[in-house]
Amino acid sequence: MQAHRIIFEAPERAVLRPFQIASPGAGEVLLKVDYTVISAGTERANLMGLPNTSGRFPYTPGYSGVAHVIEVGEGVQDVRVGDRVLVTHYNAHCTHSVQKASDLIVVRDDRVHAIEAACVNIASMGLHGVRKLQLQLGESAMIMGLGLLGVFACQFAAISGAIPLIVSDFDSQRRDLAIKLGVTAAFSPDEPDLAAKVKQLTGGQGVNGIVEVTGVAAALQQALACVARQGRISLLGCTRVSDAKIDYYQQLHKPGVTLIGAHNDVRPQVDSYPGHWTRKDDHRAIIAFFAAGKLQARPVISETVSPASAPEVYARLCQMPNPPLGIVLDWSLIA
């Protein structure tokens, strides 16, 4: 069977290519993909071959989407033809995919829109960064960087009871969006006396928990200036250049600050426990939040495009230091 997928053939060169896909084997299902979401920061970095990416080409991008089952293999019982399922875990931007049935999360709640479902895996990364802080009700929180992960992280911090909830981003439209989503204050990182203003908002104490989403060394330095004594900083962003100048005694050891690595691959595989949830458990929780109207995806989506426009879309990402917030690929537009 012929399918199509997006491939990064060389640095700054993305193409849509046909490929042959086999029928599902025992324990597998064949999916027809409905929507996938471009993770602009991660995919831009891989397309440009930036540090701390694989650096290998060809490369298949994509890890968050929604699909429906069109064929099941031998022995599959819990997933049926017609089921709507999450497309996750680096499955690629493609029209069709074969997956293990045991890896799938079925989305049966009709209150969850397909585009919301497509965002679940990306949203789970923002939730992962917040969970690492183990926020207590009434603690202050700050989200540094308002890309896709950051906007979801600020929503999860609000759900977790963070007050005040502060965000920072250079883009004024993203700061305005965060205010609409209920944050207390939104600053640009180049705001004069930012650390002093953050401490004023927190009664002079500094922020209890910070999620650093940008991966920029200067942002970590700024986080250390804003964090409270015995505060926690969750490092969610993938650092591409490590040039932070840190006084480990004055900024970490003496004030008792904790730096927490929050890469998505450090999740437990089986059982969730406080601060450490499995991918599947977070996915189920996010689906429930979408269904209850407590989490928003629509304001995060900047545009929905045909995968046929992938070369132009990715060329634009390479050229823009601040790419669009969320780009959804509509695979129904590919025959």
Side-chain angles (χ1 to χ4, degrees):
M1 175 181 178
Q2 181 169 281
H4 291 80
R5 64 187 169 196
I6 293 171
I7 300 288
F8 294 169
E9 288 191 331
E12 301 189 32
R13 177 173 169 76
V15 296
L16 182 69
R17 293 288 188 223
F19 71 102
Q20 291 298 312
I21 191 163
S23 296
E28 296 179 334
V29 301
L30 175 62
L31 306 178
K32 188 174 190 305
V33 179
D34 301 311
Y35 297 100
T36 57
V37 183
I38 292 177
S39 180
T42 297
E43 294 183 36
R44 179 180 186 270
N46 279 278
L47 180 56
M48 298 180 72
L50 298 183
N52 289 333
T53 62
S54 71
R56 296 190 298 269
F57 296 92
Y59 175 87
T60 53
Y63 59 81
S64 191
V66 65
H68 59 275
V69 178
I70 60 173
E71 186 179 347
V72 299
E74 182 182 354
V76 174
Q77 296 180 344
D78 296 333
V79 181
R80 304 183 298 268
V81 170
D83 278 347
R84 184 171 55 150
V85 299
L86 301 183
V87 177
T88 64
H89 201 45
Y90 303 97
N91 187 63
H93 296 301
C94 54
T95 54
H96 297 79
S97 173
V98 172
Q99 294 281 296
K100 291 182 180 179
S102 59
D103 289 341
L104 298 176
I105 296 286
V106 179
V107 185
R108 292 198 168 93
D109 196 318
D110 292 336
R111 294 175 297 173
V112 179
H113 189 275
I115 288 181
E116 292 175 331
C119 291
V120 166
N121 199 41
I122 284 180
S124 75
M125 296 177 184
L127 176 54
H128 181 62
V130 173
R131 284 203 191 282
K132 286 291 184 178
L133 298 176
Q134 298 195 48
L135 286 172
Q136 302 297 302
L137 190 68
E139 283 194 305
S140 57
M142 184 172 184
I143 312 299
M144 304 184 74
L146 292 173
L148 276 177
L149 273 65
V151 173
F152 281 118
C154 79
Q155 294 187 69
F156 289 123
I159 291 169
S160 300
I163 190 167
L165 175 54
I166 305 162
V167 298
S168 66
D169 195 279
F170 285 109
D171 190 303
S172 61
Q173 291 183 327
R174 296 184 182 188
R175 296 197 304 270
D176 290 344
L177 172 59
I179 292 294
K180 291 177 182 176
L181 291 173
V183 306
T184 309
F187 296 107
S188 176
D190 58 4
E191 179 92 16
D193 301 318
L194 175 60
K197 292 174 180 177
V198 168
K199 289 187 176 179
Q200 184 178 22
L201 282 169
T202 56
Q205 301 302 308
V207 183
N208 300 121
I210 298 177
V211 182
E212 202 299 291
V213 194
T214 70
V216 176
L220 174 56
Q221 293 172 312
Q222 198 164 66
L224 289 167
C226 294
V227 72
R229 284 180 60 83
Q230 300 185 42
R232 294 92 68 200
I233 301 174
S234 171
L235 302 175
L236 182 59
C238 294
T239 306
R240 306 299 175 194
V241 180
S242 301
D243 59 352
K245 294 179 175 61
I246 298 172
D247 184 331
Y248 290 93
Y249 178 74
Q250 293 293 341
Q251 294 179 284
L252 289 168
H253 180 59
K254 188 176 179 181
V257 170
T258 302
L259 295 182
I260 309 166
H263 195 283
N264 200 46
D265 285 348
V266 302
R267 291 176 177 276
Q269 295 299 307
V270 181
D271 294 322
S272 297
Y273 57 100
H276 305 266
W277 280 44
T278 66
R279 184 178 286 107
K280 280 190 172 183
D281 283 347
D282 264 352
H283 289 169
R284 293 186 183 101
I286 291 167
I287 290 168
F289 280 123
F290 277 135
K294 296 182 180 296
L295 184 67
Q296 297 187 58
R298 292 304 187 92
V300 178
I301 303 304
S302 304
E303 53 192 280
T304 300
V305 300
S306 168
S309 65
E312 295 79 14
V313 169
Y314 282 102
R316 187 155 44 102
L317 291 186
C318 290
Q319 296 161 7
M320 298 176 68
N322 291 310
L325 188 56
I327 301 175
V328 172
L329 298 169
D330 182 349
W331 289 94
S332 72
L333 301 177
I334 299 295

XYZ file of all heavy atoms in Angstrom, residues 74-111:
300
model
N -3.719 -9.953 13.580
C -4.114 -11.133 14.343
C -3.903 -10.920 15.846
O -2.886 -10.385 16.274
C -3.296 -12.338 13.873
C -3.644 -13.639 14.569
C -2.770 -14.782 14.106
O -1.978 -14.573 13.151
O -2.851 -15.873 14.701
N -4.895 -11.310 16.611
C -4.771 -11.275 18.060
C -5.124 -9.956 18.708
O -5.123 -9.855 19.938
N -5.427 -8.923 17.929
C -5.774 -7.620 18.506
C -7.213 -7.654 19.002
O -8.128 -7.972 18.238
C -5.589 -6.490 17.475
C -6.097 -5.166 18.043
C -4.125 -6.379 17.071
N -7.418 -7.326 20.282
C -8.752 -7.397 20.873
C -9.247 -6.071 21.430
O -10.441 -5.785 21.380
C -8.764 -8.455 21.994
C -8.490 -9.868 21.510
C -8.509 -10.881 22.634
O -8.443 -10.529 23.807
N -8.612 -12.159 22.288
N -8.350 -5.254 21.965
C -8.772 -4.040 22.671
C -8.932 -2.829 21.761
O -9.412 -1.786 22.203
C -7.773 -3.709 23.786
C -7.742 -4.793 24.859
O -8.775 -5.463 25.030
O -6.694 -4.956 25.499
N -8.510 -2.942 20.511
C -8.626 -1.848 19.548
C -9.418 -2.357 18.352
O -9.150 -3.441 17.842
C -7.234 -1.353 19.101
C -7.381 -0.195 18.118
C -6.402 -0.917 20.311
N -10.388 -1.543 17.899
C -11.267 -1.961 16.812
C -11.126 -1.037 15.605
O -10.720 0.130 15.741
C -12.725 -1.948 17.281
C -12.997 -2.799 18.507
C -14.484 -2.784 18.853
N -14.953 -1.443 19.179
C -14.978 -0.949 20.420
N -14.542 -1.685 21.441
N -15.448 0.262 20.648
N -11.481 -1.556 14.434
C -11.528 -0.718 13.234
C -12.499 0.437 13.485
O -13.603 0.242 13.993
C -11.971 -1.547 12.008
C -12.265 -0.635 10.815
C -10.907 -2.568 11.649
N -12.079 1.638 13.145
C -12.885 2.830 13.361
C -12.525 3.587 14.615
O -12.920 4.753 14.762
N -11.783 2.969 15.549
C -11.388 3.666 16.775
C -10.495 4.858 16.448
O -9.626 4.797 15.559
C -10.628 2.726 17.713
C -11.541 1.846 18.543
O -12.754 2.129 18.576
O -11.038 0.895 19.162
N -10.694 5.934 17.199
C -9.821 7.111 17.103
C -8.715 6.959 18.140
O -8.985 6.709 19.317
C -10.637 8.377 17.350
C -9.860 9.664 17.180
C -10.773 10.864 17.220
N -11.599 10.924 18.415
C -12.031 12.065 18.966
N -11.720 13.223 18.425
N -12.788 12.041 20.036
N -7.464 7.105 17.716
C -6.340 6.836 18.610
C -5.301 7.950 18.494
O -5.230 8.670 17.488
C -5.672 5.484 18.297
C -6.662 4.334 18.475
C -5.085 5.463 16.891
N -4.503 8.069 19.541
C -3.401 9.021 19.526
C -2.241 8.484 18.708
O -1.927 7.296 18.766
C -2.912 9.306 20.948
C -3.933 9.876 21.931
C -3.250 10.160 23.267
C -4.599 11.130 21.392
N -1.616 9.369 17.949
C -0.386 9.058 17.226
C 0.743 9.716 18.009
O 0.811 10.935 18.094
C -0.421 9.591 15.785
C 0.896 9.322 15.076
C -1.575 8.977 15.021
N 1.597 8.904 18.615
C 2.578 9.457 19.550
C 3.937 8.790 19.389
O 4.134 7.897 18.571
C 2.109 9.255 21.002
O 2.056 7.849 21.267
C 0.752 9.862 21.240
N 4.859 9.246 20.226
C 6.175 8.630 20.405
C 6.945 8.537 19.094
O 7.331 7.461 18.646
C 6.026 7.250 21.059
C 7.293 6.786 21.720
N 8.048 7.604 22.510
C 7.929 5.588 21.684
C 9.098 6.935 22.959
N 9.052 5.720 22.467
N 7.170 9.692 18.485
C 8.027 9.792 17.315
C 7.561 8.869 16.183
O 8.312 8.068 15.638
C 9.481 9.524 17.709
C 9.929 10.476 18.785
C 9.914 10.095 20.111
C 10.290 11.787 18.465
C 10.278 10.986 21.113
C 10.657 12.681 19.456
C 10.650 12.278 20.781
O 11.000 13.168 21.762
N 6.292 9.023 15.851
C 5.684 8.173 14.831
C 5.784 8.761 13.430
O 5.482 8.077 12.464
C 4.212 7.939 15.181
C 3.570 6.943 14.262
O 3.960 5.802 14.213
N 2.587 7.400 13.494
N 6.145 10.011 13.291
C 6.359 10.699 12.019
C 5.083 11.345 11.478
O 3.970 10.933 11.778
C 6.947 9.768 10.958
N 5.297 12.386 10.656
C 4.218 13.030 9.904
C 3.967 12.190 8.659
O 4.784 12.166 7.732
C 4.633 14.446 9.493
C 4.865 15.394 10.627
N 3.885 15.705 11.553
C 5.964 16.109 10.988
C 4.370 16.578 12.429
N 5.622 16.832 12.111
N 2.837 11.484 8.620
C 2.591 10.566 7.513
C 1.092 10.322 7.345
O 0.297 10.628 8.236
C 3.302 9.234 7.750
S 2.892 8.461 9.334
N 0.729 9.762 6.190
C -0.687 9.447 5.943
C -1.118 8.181 6.661
O -2.266 8.061 7.086
C -0.952 9.265 4.442
O -0.041 8.280 3.921
C -0.797 10.561 3.670
N -0.213 7.206 6.764
C -0.541 5.904 7.342
C 0.610 5.426 8.222
O 1.766 5.780 8.003
C -0.798 4.854 6.256
C -1.965 5.158 5.380
N -1.892 6.060 4.339
C -3.249 4.694 5.391
C -3.076 6.136 3.735
N -3.905 5.317 4.343
N 0.255 4.582 9.185
C 1.265 4.069 10.099
C 0.827 2.724 10.649
O -0.363 2.498 10.875
C 1.469 5.062 11.258
O 2.325 4.534 12.240
N 1.784 1.828 10.855
C 1.529 0.566 11.544
C 2.086 0.683 12.961
O 3.246 1.049 13.146
C 2.181 -0.625 10.810
C 2.067 -1.899 11.647
C 1.532 -0.826 9.453
N 1.228 0.387 13.948
C 1.625 0.522 15.351
C 1.235 -0.730 16.135
O 0.278 -1.440 15.767
C 0.909 1.724 15.978
C 1.325 3.059 15.406
C 2.660 3.517 15.982
O 2.784 3.772 17.171
N 3.651 3.606 15.117
N 1.945 -0.981 17.234
C 1.523 -2.020 18.156
C 0.233 -1.580 18.835
O 0.147 -0.466 19.352
C 2.592 -2.270 19.209
C 3.857 -2.915 18.687
C 4.823 -3.159 19.836
C 6.105 -3.816 19.334
N 7.068 -4.035 20.463
N -0.750 -2.435 18.865
C -2.024 -2.088 19.495
C -1.840 -1.771 20.973
O -2.530 -0.900 21.522
C -3.020 -3.233 19.320
N -0.901 -2.437 21.614
C -0.682 -2.228 23.052
C -0.125 -0.848 23.373
O -0.184 -0.404 24.519
C 0.261 -3.300 23.599
O 1.513 -3.262 22.925
N 0.420 -0.150 22.358
C 0.990 1.181 22.578
C -0.049 2.291 22.448
O 0.247 3.454 22.753
C 2.114 1.453 21.569
C 3.357 0.626 21.836
O 3.504 0.124 22.966
O 4.182 0.482 20.905
N -1.240 1.972 22.000
C -2.200 3.001 21.611
C -3.109 3.425 22.760
O -3.446 2.632 23.636
C -3.064 2.501 20.451
C -2.310 2.182 19.154
C -3.265 1.601 18.128
C -1.615 3.426 18.609
N -3.494 4.696 22.718
C -4.535 5.242 23.585
C -5.738 5.547 22.703
O -5.641 6.313 21.737
C -4.082 6.535 24.285
C -2.901 6.266 25.224
C -5.245 7.168 25.042
C -3.269 5.561 26.498
N -6.879 4.937 23.005
C -8.106 5.183 22.249
C -8.819 6.394 22.838
O -8.968 6.501 24.061
C -9.025 3.947 22.276
C -10.309 4.217 21.499
C -8.300 2.735 21.696
N -9.253 7.301 21.971
C -9.968 8.508 22.395
C -11.440 8.314 22.054
O -11.862 8.539 20.917
C -9.415 9.772 21.707
C -10.101 11.025 22.255
C -7.903 9.866 21.885
N -12.220 7.910 23.042
C -13.633 7.610 22.779
C -14.564 8.747 23.180
O -15.740 8.721 22.837
C -14.029 6.322 23.514
C -13.351 5.078 22.951
C -14.041 3.794 23.374
N -13.559 2.651 22.605
C -12.570 1.852 22.987
N -11.972 2.074 24.155
N -12.180 0.849 22.236
N -14.052 9.730 23.902
C -14.895 10.834 24.366
C -15.125 11.816 23.221
O -14.193 12.476 22.745
C -14.224 11.540 25.554
C -15.200 12.415 26.323
O -16.021 13.116 25.686
O -15.139 12.418 27.572
N -16.369 11.941 22.774
C -16.695 12.807 21.639
C -16.532 14.290 21.957
O -16.554 15.120 21.048
C -18.132 12.543 21.177
C -18.297 11.170 20.547
O -17.287 10.620 20.064
O -19.432 10.643 20.548
N -16.375 14.632 23.230
C -16.160 16.036 23.580
C -14.757 16.515 23.211
O -14.503 17.722 23.198
C -16.392 16.242 25.080
C -17.831 16.011 25.534
C -17.935 16.129 27.036
N -17.147 15.093 27.717
C -16.945 15.042 29.037
N -17.462 15.991 29.814
N -16.233 14.060 29.569
